Amino acid sequence: MEALVIDTEAWYEDANTNLRSLKRDVGRCMTESASYEKTMWERIETELEEINVENLGFDHPICSGVLDIKSEPFTNMPGSVSDIFKEPFRKYKLEQNHDIMEACKEFIQNEESKINIDEVLGNINYGEWLDKPEELQDLTKRMLESMGEEGSSASAIRKGSRKIARRADYMMVAQFRKNAELEIVYLETGRPNSSQDKRDRDHKKLIHFSKDSIDTTRNIKNLKKIFNQPSRRQNLTIFTINIAGDVIELYAMQKESGIYKYCLIEEATIPLHMTSPSA
């Protein structure tokens, strides 16, 4: 069953409907699985029974029928159970490559060596823009152009209008054939001093983007033809990147046995540090 779109006016009714559907799908997975996987679904079922959606908020992943590794019901689970949930996503995890790491370090060192604070700020008067007028004009033009870009097509389909569709900071679209496009990567980014609240809001936003994109493969005729084959539906994965503060996270979403599964693939600390003339 497709999860209902949450109505912010009576969201808890739709959320409870989605939770009941999720419990039913989890119960079916529990019946059809064995060994460690069965143990995982049993624990998920137990945790879901304790959840009251009104205590979560309308934008919580569970309210949209999504199992998110960073949210309930996994927050109270032992790591061994969460690891079973992560198993199908491990194929996307890249092994550390020494050559790439060294190339990145060299790039950072080269960029840092180009920064000369005295040269940049030495002849600046108080109240003046650091950038040249023509650079500011070009930047303003590009900002206005980006604001005029259309929002996510997948979000527009769910919301019923492009005018109120969500906008991702960056988005990658794959074209399979004529008039058959699928949004496959979303990215949200923030300032180096972004708050945890900003990071959490972007996390939820990316989850909704991913779910909307997967749903388009059943709602759009041209995409339905492509993903009508079980093997293609099974391999369909939407990726997201969340950059907030000094952390970058890579996630993936799949829909398996009717359940939307959102899992962390990799996270890393961005080596940010402030520099000053006295440093």
Side-chain angles (χ1 to χ4, degrees):
M1 177 179 176
E2 295 293 331
L4 296 176
V5 176
I6 296 299
D7 183 339
T8 54
E9 294 295 325
W11 65 268
Y12 49 88
E13 296 178 5
D14 294 336
N16 274 313
T17 300
N18 288 339
L19 179 58
R20 286 193 295 270
S21 297
L22 181 58
K23 288 178 180 178
R24 184 169 59 250
D25 291 333
V26 167
R28 185 175 65 253
C29 289
M30 187 173 62
T31 302
E32 297 173 352
S33 59
S35 188
Y36 295 111
E37 189 175 352
K38 184 179 182 68
T39 301
M40 176 194 71
W41 290 120
E42 288 175 343
R43 182 59 186 267
I44 290 175
E45 182 184 56
T46 300
E47 294 293 334
L48 289 178
E49 290 296 334
E50 301 297 321
I51 287 177
N52 181 348
V53 295
E54 294 186 41
N55 295 333
L56 299 179
F58 77 94
D59 59 348
H60 192 284
I62 280 183
C63 296
S64 295
V66 178
L67 287 180
D68 168 31
I69 193 67
K70 282 292 188 74
S71 308
E72 292 86 348
F74 294 98
T75 50
N76 297 320
M77 290 189 191
S80 57
V81 177
S82 298
D83 287 343
I84 301 172
F85 183 83
K86 297 175 183 177
E87 190 60 37
F89 296 90
R90 294 193 189 282
K91 60 185 177 182
Y92 299 118
K93 189 177 178 68
L94 298 176
E95 296 296 329
Q96 192 174 83
N97 186 293
H98 175 75
D99 292 336
I100 294 177
M101 291 290 292
E102 290 302 313
C104 290
K105 290 179 181 178
E106 182 180 353
F107 174 81
I108 293 173
Q109 291 172 356
N110 290 339
E111 290 300 305
E112 288 180 338
S113 66
K114 297 177 184 178
I115 300 174
N116 187 327
I117 299 297
D118 292 331
E119 180 180 328
V120 174
L121 303 179
N123 299 317
I124 298 299
N125 296 320
Y126 180 77
E128 291 183 355
W129 290 99
L130 297 181
D131 293 304
K132 298 177 181 179
E134 57 270 22
E135 292 175 345
L136 288 172
Q137 186 177 10
D138 179 63
L139 177 61
T140 302
K141 180 181 178 181
R142 285 188 281 123
M143 288 176 62
L144 291 174
E145 287 175 348
S146 66
M147 291 174 64
E149 291 177 356
E150 294 182 344
S152 161
S153 295
S155 176
I157 291 172
R158 176 170 65 87
K159 290 177 174 288
S161 171
R162 286 191 175 274
K163 293 182 179 180
I164 58 175
R166 287 175 176 260
R167 299 171 185 267
D169 288 344
Y170 298 95
M171 184 170 61
M172 183 179 294
V173 180
Q175 184 161 357
F176 294 93
R177 60 179 68 160
K178 187 177 181 181
N179 298 324
E181 294 183 343
L182 179 67
E183 296 165 4
I184 58 172
V185 180
Y186 300 95
L187 183 148
E188 287 293 317
T189 184
R191 297 173 180 270
N193 60 348
S194 294
S195 65
Q196 183 62 42
D197 180 63
K198 159 70 173 171
R199 183 176 172 182
D200 293 341
R201 282 187 282 111
D202 283 349
H203 179 79
K204 294 174 181 177
K205 183 178 179 181
L206 289 167
I207 288 176
H208 286 105
F209 275 133
S210 303
K211 179 181 178 297
D212 289 345
S213 182
I214 288 178
D215 288 344
T216 61
T217 63
R218 294 182 178 273
N219 298 331
I220 297 179
K221 182 179 179 181
N222 291 334
L223 288 175
K224 284 177 67 175
K225 292 179 180 179
I226 296 172
F227 290 96
N228 196 37
Q229 299 177 14
S231 60
R232 288 184 175 178
R233 285 201 304 271
Q234 185 177 356
N235 292 322
L236 174 60
T237 305
I238 307 300
F239 295 94
T240 67
I241 302 170
N242 191 5
I243 304 174
D246 63 347
V247 177
I248 178 171
E249 298 174 322
L250 171 64
Y251 284 84
M253 178 179 283
Q254 294 179 337
K255 187 177 183 182
E256 182 181 355
S257 301
I259 299 175
Y260 299 90
K261 302 166 69 176
Y262 193 69
C263 189
L264 177 69
I265 304 300
E266 192 69 87
E267 64 180 334
T269 300
I270 303 171
L272 296 175
H273 64 275
M274 300 299 292
T275 60
S276 65
S278 59

